[in-house]
Amino acid sequence: MHNHSEAQAPPPGCPAHHGGKSVPLHGPEFAAAPDAFYGHLREYGPAGPVELSPGVQASLVTDYSAALHVLQNPDVFARDSRRWRAVNEGLVPMDSPVLPMMLYRPNCLFTDGAEHMRLRQAVTDSLARVDTHRMTRHVDRVAAYLIAQFNGRGRADLITDFAQLLPLLVFNDLFGCPAEIGDRLVFGISCLFDGVDVEQANQILTESLFELVTLKRAEPGEDVTSWLMQHEAGLTDEEMIHQLVMLIGAGTEPTQNIIANALRLLLSDDKYAGGHHSAGLLVEDAINDVLWNSPPIANYAAHYPVHDVDLGGVELAAGNPVLISFAAANTDPALSMSRQTLSKRAHLAWGAGPHACPAKDPALLIAVQAIEKLLNSLPDIDLAVPADMLSWRPGPFHRALKSLPARFTPERRERRGAAPSATAIRTQENAPFRDSGNAPQKGSWWSGFLAWWKV
């Protein structure tokens, strides 16, 4: 484990060198060495000034106990971003890439008080109805399908070929998506996360969810969409769409990053390397390591003080965004005891307080199951490049690898064991896409899986 007790020297490009005020959390410098930036930010006290994207200023809480204080005091630190003063005064560029993640939507992420309780109850009650055995089987099938697309190649990018698609296809099942709506959902959310044609992606996502809501009003099923709709909270169609957007966002990007970051450890770290054949416990250990040391959502949970606040000697003005650095809080030097034992309960990767992540259990189940399936299916899988050559996606909110190239012994069709049935393999051989490199396009993954599975 890294020793975080001494702040590293600020990296090149860090404003500490120029006496600048706000520390930029965008750009490749931060993505390459976030711990050095957090070390520098700690010099300001429990929170420091950051720039989330050009022209978007905020305070970032890096101290563990201060983070808990903010998360657990909703009366002082509100989540409703309509309080954001700089936006209300027209001081924030409206084309800023961080706004889709921060501007108000009527969902349980951006609401407070009774309204938050009503929306959150609908979400937690609906998620509680998910049958974990059914979900485990579905993760297993989706993983088998994705692996079957590349296992004849002997190489794969475990992000684009596996970690990114798997949670999306699992959530399509949880939401009860028919093929055509599910394809557009996957396309829209993938483009949003990739920052590609964000406006068009947002429109496709909203339209496909509106169609799903309309469909489930007419024909409810055994799925999260129908359960949300039937909940006594009485959600409107607009509220339905916004809860679903939040659930997809909360369930996919973080799960993708947990899967990828844990695989990076399992395939490269001496602590885990060589032992990944016995998966099981090692997988959970690696995920716990990730949740402590590279939480999938590193900096988020924007709060807006309802009045000026003194947080451990740092002045926080009313209506200015205060974000929690889950990553820096987890590596707070004051936490040495909890960190040495890597206690599962103490880290803040899932947040804390009334807004703690409601989808934590499904996300963990999906991640563990997906990783075990991959390691068991491709027992000699290894990284195709040294771990220190991997690069991270820039962005203030996530800790996300750009790619995770892996290699393994290509699987010949004849000796394919009993996993998919012989019929399934034959059908796949004749399918329009198979593992020769022409995998489905972003727009047809869900219908491709459904067709594969029906056989």
Side-chain angles (χ1 to χ4, degrees), residues 8 40 43 62 71 121-122 138 142 156 183 225 230 244 266 277 281 300 329 352 362 410 416 418-419 422 437:
Q8 296 154 275
H40 171 62
E43 294 168 19
T62 55
L71 290 165
Q121 201 63 52
H138 185 66
V142 168
D183 283 340
T225 312
Q230 293 154 5
L244 291 172
L266 286 160
H277 309 126
L281 195 61
Y300 195 46
R416 188 150 316 132

mmCIF file of all heavy atoms in Angstrom, residues 8 40 43 62 71 121-122 138 142 156 183 225 230 244 266 277 281 300 329 352 362 410 416 418-419 422 437:
data_model
loop_
_atom_site.group_PDB
_atom_site.id
_atom_site.type_symbol
_atom_site.label_atom_id
_atom_site.label_comp_id
_atom_site.label_asym_id
_atom_site.label_seq_id
_atom_site.Cartn_x
_atom_site.Cartn_y
_atom_site.Cartn_z
ATOM 1 N N GLN A 8 3.278 14.590 -1.506
ATOM 2 C CA GLN A 8 4.278 14.593 -2.569
ATOM 3 C C GLN A 8 4.450 16.020 -3.085
ATOM 4 O O GLN A 8 3.590 16.867 -2.894
ATOM 5 C CB GLN A 8 3.803 13.698 -3.717
ATOM 6 C CG GLN A 8 3.682 12.234 -3.314
ATOM 7 C CD GLN A 8 2.657 11.536 -4.196
ATOM 8 O OE1 GLN A 8 1.465 11.577 -3.927
ATOM 9 N NE2 GLN A 8 3.121 10.900 -5.253
ATOM 10 N N HIS A 40 -1.288 18.425 -2.075
ATOM 11 C CA HIS A 40 -1.175 19.889 -2.114
ATOM 12 C C HIS A 40 -2.436 20.547 -1.538
ATOM 13 O O HIS A 40 -2.351 21.512 -0.764
ATOM 14 C CB HIS A 40 -0.932 20.348 -3.550
ATOM 15 C CG HIS A 40 -1.011 21.834 -3.722
ATOM 16 N ND1 HIS A 40 -0.141 22.684 -3.078
ATOM 17 C CD2 HIS A 40 -1.864 22.612 -4.419
ATOM 18 C CE1 HIS A 40 -0.467 23.946 -3.390
ATOM 19 N NE2 HIS A 40 -1.508 23.917 -4.200
ATOM 20 N N GLU A 43 -2.885 21.210 2.199
ATOM 21 C CA GLU A 43 -2.202 22.352 2.828
ATOM 22 C C GLU A 43 -3.159 23.519 3.088
ATOM 23 O O GLU A 43 -2.869 24.407 3.872
ATOM 24 C CB GLU A 43 -1.021 22.799 1.955
ATOM 25 C CG GLU A 43 0.078 21.735 1.877
ATOM 26 C CD GLU A 43 1.108 22.040 0.794
ATOM 27 O OE1 GLU A 43 1.195 23.217 0.356
ATOM 28 O OE2 GLU A 43 1.812 21.094 0.378
ATOM 29 N N THR A 62 -11.048 17.373 1.553
ATOM 30 C CA THR A 62 -10.069 16.287 1.465
ATOM 31 C C THR A 62 -9.879 15.576 2.797
ATOM 32 O O THR A 62 -9.205 14.556 2.866
ATOM 33 C CB THR A 62 -8.699 16.844 1.020
ATOM 34 O OG1 THR A 62 -8.329 17.890 1.927
ATOM 35 C CG2 THR A 62 -8.761 17.388 -0.394
ATOM 36 N N LEU A 71 -21.412 15.339 4.787
ATOM 37 C CA LEU A 71 -22.354 14.321 4.304
ATOM 38 C C LEU A 71 -23.502 14.068 5.278
ATOM 39 O O LEU A 71 -24.604 13.717 4.880
ATOM 40 C CB LEU A 71 -21.612 13.003 4.040
ATOM 41 C CG LEU A 71 -20.652 13.000 2.838
ATOM 42 C CD1 LEU A 71 -19.708 11.800 2.901
ATOM 43 C CD2 LEU A 71 -21.419 12.988 1.519
ATOM 44 N N GLN A 121 -37.075 6.730 -1.175
ATOM 45 C CA GLN A 121 -37.815 5.549 -0.720
ATOM 46 C C GLN A 121 -38.289 4.713 -1.910
ATOM 47 O O GLN A 121 -38.210 3.491 -1.904
ATOM 48 C CB GLN A 121 -39.011 5.988 0.137
ATOM 49 C CG GLN A 121 -39.537 4.897 1.063
ATOM 50 C CD GLN A 121 -38.497 4.464 2.099
ATOM 51 O OE1 GLN A 121 -37.938 5.297 2.806
ATOM 52 N NE2 GLN A 121 -38.226 3.173 2.174
ATOM 53 N N ALA A 122 -38.768 5.425 -2.952
ATOM 54 C CA ALA A 122 -39.224 4.711 -4.160
ATOM 55 C C ALA A 122 -38.067 3.917 -4.775
ATOM 56 O O ALA A 122 -38.226 2.767 -5.194
ATOM 57 C CB ALA A 122 -39.796 5.707 -5.172
ATOM 58 N N HIS A 138 -28.075 -13.509 -14.531
ATOM 59 C CA HIS A 138 -28.046 -12.610 -15.679
ATOM 60 C C HIS A 138 -26.643 -12.041 -15.907
ATOM 61 O O HIS A 138 -26.175 -11.953 -17.051
ATOM 62 C CB HIS A 138 -29.067 -11.487 -15.516
ATOM 63 C CG HIS A 138 -29.159 -10.616 -16.727
ATOM 64 N ND1 HIS A 138 -29.627 -11.092 -17.943
ATOM 65 C CD2 HIS A 138 -28.799 -9.330 -16.944
ATOM 66 C CE1 HIS A 138 -29.543 -10.121 -18.841
ATOM 67 N NE2 HIS A 138 -29.050 -9.048 -18.262
ATOM 68 N N VAL A 142 -24.536 -12.395 -19.364
ATOM 69 C CA VAL A 142 -24.006 -11.230 -20.089
ATOM 70 C C VAL A 142 -22.490 -11.351 -20.205
ATOM 71 O O VAL A 142 -21.907 -11.110 -21.272
ATOM 72 C CB VAL A 142 -24.409 -9.916 -19.382
ATOM 73 C CG1 VAL A 142 -23.628 -8.740 -19.951
ATOM 74 C CG2 VAL A 142 -25.904 -9.662 -19.523
ATOM 75 N N ALA A 156 -7.922 -8.437 -25.907
ATOM 76 C CA ALA A 156 -9.137 -7.633 -25.713
ATOM 77 C C ALA A 156 -8.770 -6.370 -24.952
ATOM 78 O O ALA A 156 -7.745 -6.326 -24.266
ATOM 79 C CB ALA A 156 -10.168 -8.431 -24.921
ATOM 80 N N ASP A 183 -31.122 -0.909 -26.981
ATOM 81 C CA ASP A 183 -29.990 -0.527 -27.838
ATOM 82 C C ASP A 183 -29.742 0.979 -27.777
ATOM 83 O O ASP A 183 -28.604 1.440 -27.675
ATOM 84 C CB ASP A 183 -30.265 -0.926 -29.300
ATOM 85 C CG ASP A 183 -30.056 -2.423 -29.535
ATOM 86 O OD1 ASP A 183 -29.355 -3.054 -28.729
ATOM 87 O OD2 ASP A 183 -30.599 -2.944 -30.524
ATOM 88 N N THR A 225 -38.354 -0.661 -13.366
ATOM 89 C CA THR A 225 -39.174 0.424 -13.935
ATOM 90 C C THR A 225 -40.621 0.304 -13.458
ATOM 91 O O THR A 225 -41.217 1.283 -12.979
ATOM 92 C CB THR A 225 -39.132 0.383 -15.481
ATOM 93 O OG1 THR A 225 -37.774 0.252 -15.909
ATOM 94 C CG2 THR A 225 -39.715 1.653 -16.072
ATOM 95 N N GLN A 230 -45.166 1.752 -9.709
ATOM 96 C CA GLN A 230 -46.267 1.305 -8.851
ATOM 97 C C GLN A 230 -46.089 1.767 -7.402
ATOM 98 O O GLN A 230 -46.981 1.571 -6.577
ATOM 99 C CB GLN A 230 -46.359 -0.238 -8.881
ATOM 100 C CG GLN A 230 -46.767 -0.796 -10.244
ATOM 101 C CD GLN A 230 -46.257 -2.221 -10.474
ATOM 102 O OE1 GLN A 230 -45.667 -2.839 -9.590
ATOM 103 N NE2 GLN A 230 -46.485 -2.743 -11.669
ATOM 104 N N LEU A 244 -34.592 7.042 -13.322
ATOM 105 C CA LEU A 244 -33.937 6.025 -14.158
ATOM 106 C C LEU A 244 -32.576 6.518 -14.669
ATOM 107 O O LEU A 244 -31.606 5.762 -14.673
ATOM 108 C CB LEU A 244 -34.844 5.624 -15.337
ATOM 109 C CG LEU A 244 -36.111 4.836 -14.954
ATOM 110 C CD1 LEU A 244 -37.017 4.666 -16.167
ATOM 111 C CD2 LEU A 244 -35.764 3.473 -14.363
ATOM 112 N N LEU A 266 -5.670 -7.205 -9.941
ATOM 113 C CA LEU A 266 -5.595 -8.673 -9.962
ATOM 114 C C LEU A 266 -4.595 -9.170 -10.996
ATOM 115 O O LEU A 266 -3.980 -10.220 -10.819
ATOM 116 C CB LEU A 266 -6.987 -9.261 -10.254
ATOM 117 C CG LEU A 266 -7.974 -9.186 -9.079
ATOM 118 C CD1 LEU A 266 -9.409 -9.320 -9.569
ATOM 119 C CD2 LEU A 266 -7.657 -10.260 -8.042
ATOM 120 N N HIS A 277 -6.341 -17.498 -10.095
ATOM 121 C CA HIS A 277 -7.097 -18.701 -10.480
ATOM 122 C C HIS A 277 -8.078 -19.068 -9.378
ATOM 123 O O HIS A 277 -9.131 -19.611 -9.625
ATOM 124 C CB HIS A 277 -6.145 -19.863 -10.754
ATOM 125 C CG HIS A 277 -5.066 -19.471 -11.715
ATOM 126 N ND1 HIS A 277 -3.732 -19.630 -11.458
ATOM 127 C CD2 HIS A 277 -5.143 -18.865 -12.928
ATOM 128 C CE1 HIS A 277 -3.024 -19.166 -12.474
ATOM 129 N NE2 HIS A 277 -3.852 -18.697 -13.369
ATOM 130 N N LEU A 281 -12.302 -15.003 -2.855
ATOM 131 C CA LEU A 281 -11.936 -14.040 -1.822
ATOM 132 C C LEU A 281 -10.993 -12.969 -2.365
ATOM 133 O O LEU A 281 -11.101 -11.799 -2.029
ATOM 134 C CB LEU A 281 -11.278 -14.791 -0.656
ATOM 135 C CG LEU A 281 -11.155 -14.005 0.637
ATOM 136 C CD1 LEU A 281 -12.545 -13.603 1.130
ATOM 137 C CD2 LEU A 281 -10.444 -14.829 1.695
ATOM 138 N N TYR A 300 -17.119 14.001 -5.911
ATOM 139 C CA TYR A 300 -18.479 14.272 -6.380
ATOM 140 C C TYR A 300 -19.309 14.721 -5.178
ATOM 141 O O TYR A 300 -18.770 15.273 -4.233
ATOM 142 C CB TYR A 300 -19.060 13.041 -7.086
ATOM 143 C CG TYR A 300 -20.295 13.330 -7.914
ATOM 144 C CD1 TYR A 300 -20.349 14.428 -8.780
ATOM 145 C CD2 TYR A 300 -21.408 12.506 -7.839
ATOM 146 C CE1 TYR A 300 -21.479 14.686 -9.550
ATOM 147 C CE2 TYR A 300 -22.547 12.763 -8.605
ATOM 148 C CZ TYR A 300 -22.578 13.858 -9.448
ATOM 149 O OH TYR A 300 -23.695 14.118 -10.199
ATOM 150 N N ALA A 329 -10.282 11.728 1.079
ATOM 151 C CA ALA A 329 -10.737 11.396 2.439
ATOM 152 C C ALA A 329 -10.252 9.995 2.820
ATOM 153 O O ALA A 329 -9.785 9.763 3.937
ATOM 154 C CB ALA A 329 -12.254 11.490 2.538
ATOM 155 N N ALA A 352 -21.951 8.601 2.462
ATOM 156 C CA ALA A 352 -22.427 8.379 3.830
ATOM 157 C C ALA A 352 -23.607 9.312 4.045
ATOM 158 O O ALA A 352 -23.858 10.202 3.227
ATOM 159 C CB ALA A 352 -21.309 8.683 4.839
ATOM 160 N N PRO A 362 -26.314 -4.019 -5.498
ATOM 161 C CA PRO A 362 -26.268 -4.534 -6.870
ATOM 162 C C PRO A 362 -24.930 -4.253 -7.560
ATOM 163 O O PRO A 362 -24.396 -5.118 -8.265
ATOM 164 C CB PRO A 362 -27.403 -3.796 -7.592
ATOM 165 C CG PRO A 362 -28.202 -3.098 -6.573
ATOM 166 C CD PRO A 362 -27.462 -3.135 -5.262
ATOM 167 N N PRO A 410 -5.981 -17.760 -27.250
ATOM 168 C CA PRO A 410 -7.261 -17.726 -27.968
ATOM 169 C C PRO A 410 -7.975 -19.063 -27.823
ATOM 170 O O PRO A 410 -7.334 -20.115 -27.808
ATOM 171 C CB PRO A 410 -6.864 -17.503 -29.434
ATOM 172 C CG PRO A 410 -5.427 -17.130 -29.419
ATOM 173 C CD PRO A 410 -4.834 -17.621 -28.146
ATOM 174 N N ARG A 416 -14.572 -25.778 -26.940
ATOM 175 C CA ARG A 416 -15.121 -24.710 -26.159
ATOM 176 C C ARG A 416 -15.851 -25.159 -24.892
ATOM 177 O O ARG A 416 -16.765 -24.529 -24.442
ATOM 178 C CB ARG A 416 -16.085 -23.935 -27.059
ATOM 179 C CG ARG A 416 -16.524 -22.759 -26.385
ATOM 180 C CD ARG A 416 -16.921 -21.560 -26.416
ATOM 181 N NE ARG A 416 -16.323 -20.594 -27.210
ATOM 182 C CZ ARG A 416 -17.031 -19.817 -27.954
ATOM 183 N NH1 ARG A 416 -18.314 -19.972 -28.062
ATOM 184 N NH2 ARG A 416 -16.455 -18.887 -28.628
ATOM 185 N N ALA A 418 -18.376 -26.700 -21.970
ATOM 186 C CA ALA A 418 -19.831 -26.799 -21.970
ATOM 187 C C ALA A 418 -20.539 -25.492 -21.701
ATOM 188 O O ALA A 418 -21.735 -25.465 -21.597
ATOM 189 C CB ALA A 418 -20.245 -27.829 -20.943
ATOM 190 N N ALA A 419 -19.775 -24.392 -21.554
ATOM 191 C CA ALA A 419 -20.444 -23.159 -21.094
ATOM 192 C C ALA A 419 -21.635 -22.774 -21.967
ATOM 193 O O ALA A 419 -22.751 -23.109 -21.638
ATOM 194 C CB ALA A 419 -19.447 -22.045 -20.959
ATOM 195 N N ALA A 422 -23.770 -26.220 -27.531
ATOM 196 C CA ALA A 422 -23.266 -26.386 -28.900
ATOM 197 C C ALA A 422 -24.121 -25.592 -29.882
ATOM 198 O O ALA A 422 -23.611 -24.954 -30.803
ATOM 199 C CB ALA A 422 -23.266 -27.861 -29.266
ATOM 200 N N GLY A 437 -13.488 -9.552 -34.550
ATOM 201 C CA GLY A 437 -13.185 -8.130 -34.504
ATOM 202 C C GLY A 437 -14.383 -7.290 -34.875
ATOM 203 O O GLY A 437 -14.457 -6.126 -34.553
#
